[in-house]
Amino acid sequence: MELQGTVKKVFETQTFASGFQKREMILLTQEQYPQPISIEFLSDKINLLDNLHEGENIKVGINIRGREWTNPQGEVKYFNSITGWRVEKGTDSPSEPVHATPAAQPVAAASNENPFADEEDDDLPF
């Protein structure tokens, strides 16, 4: 999947005791009601955010991940995260969404010939 928008914020890299690293960014979508979307980049993908600046238009390749967690009271909770894996810099102006259009069908030339002239007569009443 992909998201397109403007870089609102890029956070510093977080390093955990296990050595695991992650870095987050906020992408402001370009739609009627813009949404601030938090996207995390993990391990070897954190360097993709090094050259991004606030206000820059980008397209981000993402995966949506989900997980289940049971709290100490035994209640099951579900969480989602958006993980980025590719960043493409866009143009300086916001672009309109691209909509698919059907391919043009060739138009047959009009003809005055009877298309049924070569068919045999049948005995159907209609």
Side-chain angles (χ1 to χ4, degrees), residues 65-71 75-80:
R65 297 182 177 185
R67 63 185 176 281
E68 182 179 289
W69 174 71
T70 305
N71 70 14
E75 298 172 307
V76 176
K77 303 281 185 175
Y78 296 92
F79 297 94
N80 298 316

Side-chain angles (χ1 to χ4, degrees), residues 90-101:
T91 61
D92 290 334
S93 61
S95 61
E96 291 295 317
V98 177
H99 298 284
T101 56

Side-chain angles (χ1 to χ4, degrees), residues 21-23 40-50 83-87:
Q21 292 184 315
K22 81 173 187 175
R23 190 170 181 190
E40 57 185 19
F41 290 76
L42 309 175
S43 302
D44 62 335
K45 300 296 182 185
I46 61 174
N47 61 349
L48 294 175
L49 302 179
D50 288 346
T83 305
W85 53 272
R86 182 185 70 217
V87 174

Side-chain angles (χ1 to χ4, degrees), residues 5-10 25-28 30 52-58 90-94:
T6 305
V7 177
K8 182 170 180 152
K9 179 120 177 102
V10 177
M25 68 165 295
I26 304 299
L27 182 77
L28 189 61
Q30 298 168 343
L52 293 184
H53 304 288
E54 292 181 15
E56 206 168 17
N57 288 309
I58 62 170
T91 61
D92 290 334
S93 61

